[in-house]
Every structure is written in C-alpha cells, then in structure tokens.
Amino acid sequence: MLPWKGELAGRLDVDVITSELLRDNPLGDPAERPLWVYVPPGYDDSDERYPSVYVIQGYTGHIGMWANRTAYRQPFVETADAVFASGEAPPCIVVYVDAWTAYGGSQFVDSPGTGRYHSYLCDEVVPWVDARYRTLAAPGSRAISGKSSGGFGAMITPMLRPDLFGALATHAGDALYEMSYVAEFGKVVRLLRQWDGDIFRWWDDFRSRTAFTKEGDSELLITLGCSAAFSARDDGTPELPFDATSGELLPEVWDRWLAWDPVRMVDRYADALRGLRAVWIDAGARDEWFLDLGAQAFRDGLARVGVPDDRVRFELFEGTHMAIDYRYPQALAWLAHRLSR
Amino acid sequence: MLPWKGELAGRLDVDVITSELLRDNPLGDPAERPLWVYVPPGYDDSDERYPSVYVIQGYTGHIGMWANRTAYRQPFVETADAVFASGEAPPCIVVYVDAWTAYGGSQFVDSPGTGRYHSYLCDEVVPWVDARYRTLAAPGSRAISGKSSGGFGAMITPMLRPDLFGALATHAGDALYEMSYVAEFGKVVRLLRQWDGDIFRWWDDFRSRTAFTKEGDSELLITLGCSAAFSARDDGTPELPFDATSGELLPEVWDRWLAWDPVRMVDRYADALRGLRAVWIDAGARDEWFLDLGAQAFRDGLARVGVPDDRVRFELFEGTHMAIDYRYPQALAWLAHRLSR
Amino acid sequence: MLPWKGELAGRLDVDVITSELLRDNPLGDPAERPLWVYVPPGYDDSDERYPSVYVIQGYTGHIGMWANRTAYRQPFVETADAVFASGEAPPCIVVYVDAWTAYGGSQFVDSPGTGRYHSYLCDEVVPWVDARYRTLAAPGSRAISGKSSGGFGAMITPMLRPDLFGALATHAGDALYEMSYVAEFGKVVRLLRQWDGDIFRWWDDFRSRTAFTKEGDSELLITLGCSAAFSARDDGTPELPFDATSGELLPEVWDRWLAWDPVRMVDRYADALRGLRAVWIDAGARDEWFLDLGAQAFRDGLARVGVPDDRVRFELFEGTHMAIDYRYPQALAWLAHRLSR
Amino acid sequence: MLPWKGELAGRLDVDVITSELLRDNPLGDPAERPLWVYVPPGYDDSDERYPSVYVIQGYTGHIGMWANRTAYRQPFVETADAVFASGEAPPCIVVYVDAWTAYGGSQFVDSPGTGRYHSYLCDEVVPWVDARYRTLAAPGSRAISGKSSGGFGAMITPMLRPDLFGALATHAGDALYEMSYVAEFGKVVRLLRQWDGDIFRWWDDFRSRTAFTKEGDSELLITLGCSAAFSARDDGTPELPFDATSGELLPEVWDRWLAWDPVRMVDRYADALRGLRAVWIDAGARDEWFLDLGAQAFRDGLARVGVPDDRVRFELFEGTHMAIDYRYPQALAWLAHRLSR
C-alpha cells in the first residue's frame, strides 16, 4: 500500500446537491453542497438494493477533509471500502454529508443561528440519495454515524426521525454537557478578558486574520458555534449560556443547551430509541472532553428505557479524542451486519 | 532575616480547646483541638480591647502547617505579625483555628459525616477566645479569613452567623460549583474504574499505605471529604453527588452541594451580607479550579443584593491556586483598618 | 472561497519519477516516486524561464498530505499559487518532492539505513525538473524550503550542494540537537522499559497494529527513523545514540548525529553559506522541541561566519510547532523576490 | 497519631555551629549555621558509640523545612526516629546539615560563587559532631543521604572524601546533566527574553518582590544558583553554561558543569566508590527531570567500575520527583544495618 494513494474497490461519486432549505441561511453559507456517495463493489453489476450509512463529521469538519491522509493510516473512505472489499461485512452504500457553516459546524440541528441543517439532512439529502441510488429506503436499512459533534448528530437524528434512521454509531459523541462543556466555558471566560467579555469582538478578529494563530481560538469558535446552534435568538444572534465575566450559567439559556444533551433526551425519545436495530457507542477512555463519560451515560440511558442489550455495542477503548478514525470502519462493519437487507 | 527562623513582635499562644461539640464525632477525630492565638505588639502592656480575625485553612490543612517554612518566604504567622509590627495596620488578635478531619477537612459545616465543625467554631472557639483574650466581642470587630476551602468557610460563616462575624476575606474560596467541582468528578469517575466504582475501596487502600503515592489520591480524597461534609446520609455515610460509573449528576444529592455554593447562597443570605463591614475577595486569574470565576460570581452576587462597593475589595491577580499565601497579610491589613474599634 | 475546494491560477502537474538511486533501498520503499510540479500563471503562454523552489516535508510527511485541508485554511499548494496569482511576488516553479520512508522520513540524507535520499533529490529530481520545465537552472535561481525535518533538509542541502541551491527557507528546522533531541531520548528510554529496552520489539509491534494507538509511538518512531538516517551501521541497522536503559549518550554514535546538526555544520560549510543569496529562518517562540532556539543558534552561526545580514530574514513568531503552514507562503514570496531571474 | 504533632523516642538537639570557612562568603550568608543532631533512644542511658548519618537537602531547602508538616504524613525527623524506636534498624545518630545560600543552595561544593560548603560540611560539621557526640568516627560508620540536589551532594561527597564517608543514599539525585539540565536551559532562555537575556536583571527583580510570583522563577533561580556553584568566575560571578539568547552550550563553561556530573565522576573516583560499604540509589520512574535515568546511569557506572552488587540497593519506584520523602526512612534503615558498629 503506497502511503500517498489508495484504490477503491467500490466507487465514490462526488456529487453536488442544491438545498432549498439552506437557501438564504443566516450565515450566507453555500446552499449548493458537496455530497459524496460511495457504492460498494458489485453495485454496478447488479440491480440489488443496499442499506445505506450516512456519515457526518466533527466540529470544524467539512467534506473535503475525508480525503486527508495521515501518516501510516488510510482515509476512512478507503478503510470503509476495505470493509466491503474484504468481505468483512455485507455491502452498503455510504453517504458522506457536508454540514459545515461559517462557525465551523451546525451540530446537525435546525437553528435561526446557522440554518436548517437537520431538515436538510433528513428531508433533502436522504430523498436525494434514495432517488438516485439503489438504496433500501426504510429505517431498518438506514444508519447514521459520526465522531464528536458528528457522534452527537448520529445520536440525535434517529431520536428525532425514527422514520428515517434505524441504527447509529457514535464515536466520542457530545453528551453529558455539564462534563463536556462547562470547563470549556471557564476557559472561554478567561479568554474573553482580552475582548471585554464580548465574543463577537473576538469573532471579528478571528475572521480578519489567519485562523488558529491565537491561543483559545478553538474554544471560542466551538462555543460560539454551539451557541448559534443551540441558543440563538430568533434574529439569529448566538447567546452564550453563561455570564461572560463570571462563567455563571444562565439557566434560561443553558436549559436550551441541555434540551439537546443526548443523555437528557433519552427519556423523551425512549420510543424512538427502543425502535433502533443497532447502536454502536464508543469513546477513548481518556477523552479530553470526558466524552467517555457521556458515552457511558448515554449507554446507561438506553438500558434504563429498555433498549435490549443485544442491540447495543459499547466500548471505552484506550485512547483520547484524537486519531480515533480507525474505529469508524469497525462500527461500519458492525452496522452493515445488522441493517435489514 | 534568616530563612529558618523568624521572631515575632507580638506573641503566639499555643492553646488547646476541649470541644464538647466534637466529642464522639463520627470519624473519631480528636475533640481536644489545638488553637493558636496571636496577640499583637503592646497587648501585654495595655488593657485595650482589640478586634479579632479568625483564620481557617484549605483542604488537608491542619494547624501545624502554619509553622511550615517555604523558600524565600515567611510563614503567615510571621507576615501577619509584621503587618502590625510595622504599623501598616492597627493591631488585632489573630486566631488560628483547626478543623482537620480524617478525610482532610470539614468544610466548616455541621455534618453527620464529619462532625459539628461550624458550631464548634462559632459556639465554642469564639466564646473561648472572647473569655480569655481582650477582644472586642461584637460582629463589627470580628472577621474571618481563609484560602480555598478556608475561603469557602470565610464566605459562609458570616452568612450563617452575622451575629458573630462582620467581615471576611476569601482567597480563591470554593464557589461556582459547576465550574470548580464537576471536572473533578470526571477525574474521580475515571480513577474509580480501578476500584469497581467504589470510593470506599479506594479509601481503605489509601489508609493502608503511604498517602499520596497513587495518582488521583488528592482528587479522590477531596471528593470523599466534601461528600461527607455536604451530602452525608443520616448515618454519616458520604454520598457522591454523581453516578460513580458515568459521572452523571444525581440531582437530589447534587442539590445538597449546590445549597452550599456561596454564589447560590448570596440571595438567601442577602441581609447578612448587606450587614458586613468589609469583604475581601481575590483569586489567581489562572486558578486550577476556576476559583477566579467563583470569586467573580460571588462578587457579582454581592453587587446584585446591594452590598455597597466601598465595602468590597475585589482582585483577580496574576497567579494560580498555589503559593498565594503572600496575599493573606494584605487582606489582614485591609480588614484591620475596617474592623470597628 | 469554499472550504472544501480551491482553484489554482497556475497548474499543478502530478508526475512520477523513477529513481535509480532509490532502487533496492534497504527498507524496500518505492523507487517510483510522486513528484508534484507547479507552474505559475502565464507559464503556458510564454517561453520565459523561471526560478524554482523545492519544497520538502516534515517527519512522517508524504506528498499526498499537501492536499490535506484544515479548517479555515487552504493547503499550501493553494496559498503558494495565490502568492503568484495576486502579484505579491514574481512567478516561480514550485517542486514538491517526496522523501517518505517506511520509518516515516529520510532526513534528506544518504544513509545505509534508509537510502540515498539526498542524492535522489540533488542528482535525480533537480535534473529531471530542469529537463522538463523551463527553469533557470543555476543555484542563484534555485531555492529549497521546508518545515521541521523539512527545514533541516532545507538547511543542509544548500550547505552540501551550493552548486545547486542558492537560497533556502527553514521553518522550525531541526537544529541544536542537545536541546531538541535529548529530552526525546529520555522519553524513549522510559517507553522502552515495556519493550525490554529493545526498540525493534516496539517496531515489530507498531507495524502489526493500527499506528499511533499507543502512547509514545511518535517519539519512538522519530528516534528510530533518525537513527536510521544519522547512525545506521553499514548493514543498515539503526543504532540509537544513547544507552537504551539509562539514556546516557554514546559519544561515538551521538557524534554522528552532531555531525548533522545544522548549528554545528555552519563553520564547516561557511563558504557555501556565504554564497547564499537568501536565507529565511523562523520558528514559533514556544516550539515544543525548542526549535526556536535552534533557529536562533543557526542564525547566530550565519552571522559568525560572515553571511551579510541583508540576506537573512529571521523571526521568532508567537506560536508552537503546530499549525504554522501559514508561514510557508510568506517565505515563498520573500524567496521569489530574491532569486535571480 | 495527631497530624499536628509528633513525639520523638530519641532526642533532637537544635545546635548552632559557627563556621570559619563560611565567614565572609561571597553572598553574605550567615556563618553561624543551625545544625540539628538527633540521638536515638537509649543514647542518654549508655556510653555506646553510634554510626552517624548526615542528611542534606534539595535545592531551596533550609534546615527549618525539616519541621514542615504535610497532610497524612510525618516529617522525616519523626519517621527517622520511628526507624530506631520500632527496632526496624539499629540506632544511629542523624545529623541535619544546613547549606542554604542566597541563591537557594550550594550544591555542597566549594565555589567562589557561593562559599566553601563542601569544606564546611567535611572539615567543620563532621569534626564538630564527632567532638560532641558519641559517634563511631570512621568512614565505615558514617553515611550521607539526601534528595535531589541533596542526593547529588550525597553522591559526590563520599567520592571526594572517602576518608570521611563510607556509605550514601541518593534519592533522585542530580545526575546525567544533558538529560536533567539542558531542557531547563531552554526554558531559561525563553524566560530571559523578557530580561534582555540578562539573568541578573531577573535576579534584581526577584529579590525586590515576593518570590515565586512570576512564571519561571524556579527555573531561573536554580540555573543561577548552579552556575554560581559550578561555573563561577574567580570573582564569584556566576557564568551561565549556555548562550543566553540561543541556548547553545558554551563548551568551556559546560565542561565545568560536566566535571560535576556524578555519572561522569564515577570513573575518576572509582577507587573511592569501590571502597563504599553501602549505596542506596532510587528515583521516581517519572521524575520530571529524568533523574530516574540519572540514577540508572550512576548505578550502571558503579557496576562498570566494579562496585559489588551486594553493596548497592537500586530502585526506580512508581512516582515523580515530588512527595517522595517517605523513601528517606527506608534508606536510613537500610544504611543503619550496613554501617560498621
């Protein structure tokens, strides 16, 4: 295997979808979105229909990054292909969805702060794919997976739309917000001391220069972006869920975030969760944002509402939040075996 | 000044007080407690009465540590003496109170988990001192100060007993618990993986060997001790405020902790706070437990309930949680000027 | 600008060069190497000849990574193009050279441990490019640049081959080895405790599993690879420059490394350095490997041997070793103005 | 056991010795030095003679710190007493020696930069003790022990004066200087950027304010102090062993340091080392200054020059450089069994 290139046994189509729902989104982000659709080996030689797995990305991820190469590893597009090429798992269509925004992400929700990314994914991308590819267009044959913010998206989307998604894989997905977010808020408050407590002053600066050249750019960006996703005002202005000087949580805003905590959503969406065929949950046991605890709490929630153990695959593996892309094909193979076909 | 010894201009009495309230405390800790009482230069040559400042310690502190010497610095007993010897501030009596427990601290509250340390301080130590020393025995002439858990004690004690304490100084006092404690809980959950999620298994191990030789001993100890202080069952057993496997907060237990968050106590004790003559609040701007934010939030709370600005001295100084004992004499001098005499 | 794609004003040719010198290299790495050659806007419409800038990569870098996209930034291939497209600097040909090995890098030297990468670069790649592209094939019109190990290569190659390269840019290039390498050796010794002090036992393990899933993989890899580059035995076996149990430097092996320290090479290659037209040296002032100090020491060395100040551009910028690719186009533009045309 | 006090079975005399050799030392430090001499239980009821163990301290340590109390532990004065009181080891006299200087330490060498601390220890303190206490005044009955810089002193003193000391214990003693010091130099160079590269500008500042309130105070202090000990000019001015701007080692100065590296002294003092009865060497396996590697290299050196294995006790224990005082009584007991009596 040459490190600088890989061959696919299947085929990757680089498509573009024109979204009506993202048109005139508040950040002026493009409504024409790239969409990569992978069809497995044998697809072109048969008229079989296949289960589909939708793949979404972590914060600051955009679709072009799926092609990034790192030392001694292959991109997921290639390791995903290998799952099917090797016969390790039965074939699926894999759909790589872009949900980038100017703030670095959308959290895959509909928000006046960023746009209607949840609806775009569910009501535009899925039908678009089903119309153009030989999918098995039923929830039992459709899964969603992702890491970090993508893992969050993979947890919430089937809760909201069990009519579409019947399986999921979350790798270090955002959850248990008091553990994963609050310490970030503390850092943000300190960083904002140099911006008079005004995150928009930082944002203006950030956009005017090379990104990520100042300490704290990452923490500030994700806090602003999640505020846009979870707690934007009706006019689209993101509201921070804490006092920008003291870090004290603002209950009325923070509650809007907590309403999106997968751990807290479990009881509300228990029926949807009980209907899932397969749920893969993992995280690095030393995740920098304690998302191993979020994973554990989400898994405990599934047990509490009665999701049978044999539908859940749970693992806290040795590792951090970083460089865990090698877990993705493992989850993909596991899902591929469990999707209805 | 020789680094290995210092002379006092005043006099330090090393006393012992026999506490009725600590007798038969649940941890079997001594009811005979050391008490150091400092009288300023001139005390023995006059019959003047003096304001008093009670000094309490941070977690794992016991009274003997006040004699510890560190490089290039003097112990607080000596720098406190220098405040008066130099004429920087008018003379006070300084009372060093011990509230150590087998868990490393008491948080200066009454608890079935540790003992009645709040009452011991207020109903035994204060009268004992007033009976034996020429104090001005009125709240306007009595202050309390401390760092970290001692800062916490310095915040809550005057709220609970405005009839006793009319001024306070808190250095990096525990406050804004979602910021200062929750990340610790995350670490504790991970540490407990090797103890089957049972903190008492760790505690048994901790007591059987040299302390602080295993990673996480500190985090586990303070979590156990604060659980004993804030959320012990009636039989004295400490209850953790979170699920020991997932870190998920247990609302009914966590609420008991939050009831002791100084930031959240402000509104409940607004009258007491408005009656204070002087409040010193500081913290290192890079405090490892975000206690700078706790300090800010407490200070904001005072403003909110109408404590006049001219009674409050607030500063976030460059520094961390460590090696900030040089702040203590600054606060002492400031208080000494404001206490009624 | 869409985050997921960029257009070039110039043209990037993705070539392959078949190296005779790398044939039968000791690691069995490919002798057919990718080579990317960029020609600036206007190249195809003229018969002008252009200066050329060779670009090499840091440790574990291979050519495919130049296409990687990161959040809010463009790949260097695009920012380099923009330098010329915008008119910021006069046009150059830019050559992206691959020198990857199974150990993650070659340090751009000839070694029995990895292969003849220095000669491949100088005696094969340069003539290949000059034969196929309208370069100005003189040292005053040819530069080399890189970051980290690539910065090292950019420092040493013109010293060794002033007949080929008359200018260079080093970003955080490896230098001042007692500062940059020795602490790594200390970490490696500790890591080797679990491998019986035998780095080849680790290497066997590393190759048998997903890379970079064990702590210390990075440190072990670079130490092994640099030993292969700098201190391989005649039979190709890498020799560590330190005792694997104690970390004590082995002078006879360590001296082979020091012979490749750019700071120590300055005096030996003073004539070559005095002949350079332009030398860009920079590093992040908080570089994790103290390469800011290496940069300073190299710059001081140039002054000592009489390289005129007006040929040197030196800067320690605010930053670390990471995410400093935005410096590359700045150096490229600076070189482009100084190369002979 | 009360945490705030301990009783001794033996007796601790707090003496003062007036040193002729330290009179008029270059830093103006006191020539009258405290000296603590401990005699074991039974001493006053017999006329027996006892082996003696001299105890010296780490950098910034002064004798008063032996009385410091830390949570859940007892001071070494008490744990040392317990070794004898419990019968774990036969009785010894223990001598606590002060070698503090204005720079925080002396490294227990004679230097024009600090004073004649080596000679003071060997030619003044030892005879003083032997004259006043019933010691067995022969090298086989005299040991020296210490931690960190004190461990360094414990390694070098018997090498220099085998006529006095016949056994030693070093806990994380300074050794293998390229590993333990050079990274510190790198930090110092960065810190000196704000002091125009002049460590004396920092020193003036340090002395004018509360110590250890600025980042890097510790690194700067120890670097200055070791320069005073190892590489002072004849006029007493400390010379840094590296270029203050680039960190490049200055061979002529650095060699003066290396001449004091215990690892490098082994061969020079092989005879003295072969004459030792007992050598305890330990360090935390994660020592922040890689002193575990220094310990290993020193131990390997002893084997190389033929010190029999049965005279050496070597251990890398789980831990760092901090809070390892619980190792001291273990070494003391081990030495007590091996000293001639």
Side-chain angles (χ1 to χ4, degrees), chain B residues 106-120 123 229 260:
Chain B
S106 68
Q107 299 303 83
F108 313 96
V109 302
D110 289 346
S111 163
T114 52
R116 303 191 56 192
Y117 285 87
H118 168 70
S119 298
Y120 147 75
D123 297 330
W260 282 112

Side-chain angles (χ1 to χ4, degrees), chain A residues 89-233:
Chain A
C92 293
I93 290 169
V94 183
V95 184
Y96 299 87
V97 181
D98 187 87
W100 168 267
T101 76
Y103 289 144
S106 68
Q107 299 302 85
F108 312 96
V109 301
D110 289 347
S111 163
T114 52
R116 302 191 58 192
Y117 286 88
H118 168 70
S119 297
Y120 147 75
L121 167 59
C122 294
D123 296 330
E124 294 186 326
V125 175
V126 170
W128 193 97
V129 170
D130 286 342
R132 284 162 182 78
Y133 291 87
R134 295 196 314 277
T135 58
L136 290 159
S141 303
R142 197 184 285 111
I144 184 166
S145 79
K147 177 212 168 184
S148 197
S149 287
F152 166 76
M155 284 185 276
I156 63 162
T157 306
M159 286 199 257
L160 299 172
R161 296 297 300 270
D163 59 309
L164 289 183
F165 293 99
L168 71 91
T170 168
H171 306 284
D174 302 352
L176 205 61
Y177 285 3
E178 64 272 33
M179 203 61 91
S180 52
Y181 278 122
V182 175
E184 297 297 293
F185 298 163
K187 294 178 204 164
V188 164
V189 169
R190 288 182 177 167
L191 292 162
L192 288 180
R193 287 173 186 160
Q194 62 188 294
W195 304 103
D196 291 340
D198 182 352
I199 200 166
F200 297 103
R201 289 195 51 191
W202 165 80
W203 175 239
D204 288 343
D205 176 73
F206 178 79
R207 283 185 298 180
S208 71
R209 57 170 165 88
T210 305
F212 303 113
T213 50
K214 291 193 181 166
E215 218 177 329
D217 275 353
S218 292
E219 288 87 348
L220 287 157
L221 181 70
I222 196 167
T223 300
L224 180 60
C226 288
S227 296
F230 296 149
S231 54
R233 290 192 209 130

Side-chain angles (χ1 to χ4, degrees), chain C residues 131-155:
Chain C
R132 283 162 184 77
Y133 290 87
R134 295 197 313 277
T135 57
L136 290 160
S141 303
R142 198 184 284 112
I144 183 165
S145 79
K147 177 213 167 183
S148 197
S149 288
F152 166 76
M155 284 185 276

